[in-house]
Amino acid sequence: MESNYHTLKRTDNQLLVITHLSQLLTYVTGFGGVLAPLIIWATQKDQVDGMDAHGKSILNFQLSMLIYSIISIPLIFVVGLGILTLILVAILAFIMPIINAVKASNGELPSYPMSINFIS
């Protein structure tokens, strides 16, 4: 039997901010920047207004940064350009979560540059 019951999503900009900032766990644990936002997104996407869009953007960004990092490693030996790419990835992966946390606190949608759309 199909139900017409729709649950209302709550507005929780603070949780959206925490979700963006949780990406910075990568600098502490090495992998928490993917796991923490994934867990928050998976458990809250149906309860928090905007969480689905924010979570997908975060995961797409994190996966993109991982791929760019992996591609950069052989480029270090081949061209030497890989070091610059790794530095750029590290800077983007640190600054963009902070910028998008501020956007989330203002009720704006996130925008992550160089992000490949894996999850839509």
Side-chain angles (χ1 to χ4, degrees), residues 34-97:
V34 175
L35 290 179
L38 175 64
I39 291 168
I40 296 170
W41 171 67
T43 60
Q44 299 298 311
K45 66 182 177 181
D46 295 327
Q47 284 81 30
V48 176
D49 189 35
M51 180 60 78
D52 196 38
H54 285 265
K56 287 176 182 177
S57 292
I58 291 168
L59 294 175
N60 285 330
F61 178 68
Q62 285 295 310
L63 291 171
S64 299
M65 292 300 106
L66 177 65
I67 288 173
Y68 295 139
S69 296
I70 291 169
I71 291 171
S72 297
I73 293 170
L75 291 178
I76 293 172
F77 303 111
V78 176
V79 185
L81 195 62
I83 293 172
L84 293 174
T85 309
L86 283 173
I87 291 169
L88 176 65
V89 166
I91 291 170
L92 279 175
F94 187 79
I95 293 173
M96 293 313 298

Side-chain angles (χ1 to χ4, degrees), residues 23-42:
Q23 295 174 79
L24 299 177
L25 285 172
T26 295
Y27 293 98
V28 178
T29 65
F31 57 86
V34 175
L35 290 179
L38 175 64
I39 291 168
I40 296 170
W41 171 67

